Amino acid sequence: MSETTETEVHDILVPTDGSKAAMEAARQAIDLAKKNDAAVHAMYVMDMGDAAFVAVPSDIAQTRKRLEKKGRGFTDDISELAAEAGVDCVTVVKSGIPEEEIIEYAEDEGVDLIVIGKRGRSDPDKPLIGSTTNRVLGRTEVPVRVV
């Protein structure tokens, strides 16, 4: 029989798209981080989708700048909440397929827990969980808390 031990949490990843669910996930992650003296990593992934196939390069560059600015705003909102709670926060904005970037970052950075909203902006009417959350759950070895 193996002995059950509580897993230590040092780094918590909070992917965000600025949705209500993502902000609630951030609040819970910050509360958990404060209790465990852990750091929060706020992450926004710019999903450029098919932009390269439907736009001229200058439009793609402008779209990328707009998305990066939006992502910085979302991650900065989480960073401000963390600062108010006395929790360290790392912010990161990446470009790619959201679930792949989330999983890769969690593995590369040694994240102990992913706290993610059950639905994002693109899935507001999903009854249970959104597509990105579902794919993260199904593809990562890192523990995930869905909020």
Side-chain angles (χ1 to χ4, degrees):
M1 180 189 278
S2 65
E3 185 177 317
T4 304
T5 59
E6 190 171 320
T7 303
E8 289 188 31
V9 177
H10 301 285
D11 291 280
I12 303 169
L13 175 59
V14 182
T16 184
D17 63 355
S19 64
K20 288 180 184 179
M23 289 308 291
E24 181 56 32
R27 284 188 278 280
Q28 287 192 26
I30 290 166
D31 185 51
L32 185 61
K34 186 171 182 141
K35 290 176 183 173
N36 288 278
D37 195 28
V40 168
H41 299 246
M43 178 183 205
Y44 176 79
V45 180
M46 297 182 292
D47 187 355
M48 296 298 288
D50 294 328
F53 299 108
V54 297
V56 294
S58 62
D59 291 342
I60 295 169
Q62 289 300 319
T63 299
R64 184 178 182 85
K65 284 181 185 177
R66 282 193 303 275
L67 286 173
E68 187 166 357
K69 182 178 180 182
K70 180 169 74 168
R72 291 267 172 236
F74 293 154
T75 58
D76 286 350
D77 289 345
I78 294 171
S79 183
E80 288 173 20
L81 288 174
E84 290 170 8
V87 170
D88 290 337
C89 184
V90 176
T91 61
V92 62
V93 175
K94 292 195 166 261
S95 178
I97 299 169
E99 63 272 10
E100 290 179 5
E101 295 298 326
I102 291 165
I103 292 165
E104 182 178 318
Y105 182 87
E107 292 172 357
D108 289 350
E109 297 299 319
V111 167
D112 304 299
L113 177 66
I114 299 170
V115 181
I116 189 169
K118 63 183 175 179
R119 290 187 297 278
R121 287 184 183 273
S122 63
D123 296 318
D125 299 323
K126 293 272 186 189
L128 296 173
I129 61 172
S131 57
T132 298
T133 299
N134 189 41
R135 288 190 291 266
V136 168
L137 279 168
R139 294 179 53 198
T140 187
E141 297 296 320
V142 177
V144 179
R145 176 187 284 187
V146 178
V147 177

